[in-house]
């Protein structure tokens, strides 16, 4: 059940005290909705999501990229690594 799993991830994000949540793709919107109290922004394009993450980053920050191979999340990882 995709929606239930994404809600579960959103609740976990909120419980862990994550500083910012950036989501990308249709199913990921649910994560942001479930991550109550966490500043979040949803994007429909990977490039826009990546640019937003890069604008948020400071030295020493950690970034978790979670996604399916179908969403080609490696594009985001590669862009973040290139910017580092």
């Amino acid at each position: 059940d995709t929606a239930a799993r994404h809600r579960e991830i959103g609740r976990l994000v909120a419980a862990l005290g994550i500083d910012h949540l950036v989501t990308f793709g249709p199913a990921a919107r649910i994560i942001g909705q479930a991550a109550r109290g966490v500043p979040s922004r949803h994007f429909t394009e990977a490039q826009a999501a990546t640019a937003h993450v890069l604008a948020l980053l400071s030295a020493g920050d950690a970034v978790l990229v979670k996604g399916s191979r179908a969403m080609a999340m490696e594009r985001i990882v590669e862009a973040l690594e290139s910017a580092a």
Side-chain angles (χ1 to χ4, degrees):
D1 181 13
T2 299
R5 296 293 179 219
H6 282 74
R7 278 191 296 276
E8 185 178 332
I9 292 167
R11 289 189 295 269
L12 180 61
V13 164
L16 291 173
I18 302 295
D19 293 327
H20 297 279
L21 174 66
V22 177
T23 58
F24 156 64
R29 184 180 298 273
I30 297 167
I31 297 171
Q33 294 167 344
R36 300 192 195 285
V38 177
S40 66
R41 183 135 177 224
H42 180 78
F43 293 89
T44 57
E45 297 177 359
Q47 187 173 12
T50 304
H52 185 72
V53 170
L54 288 170
L56 290 172
L57 288 177
S58 297
D61 286 349
V63 177
L64 169 66
V65 177
K66 180 262 179 227
S68 67
R69 297 290 297 170
M71 293 300 294
M73 298 301 284
E74 65 273 5
R75 295 176 296 172
I76 293 175
V77 172
E78 291 167 359
L80 294 172
E81 287 177 336
S82 293

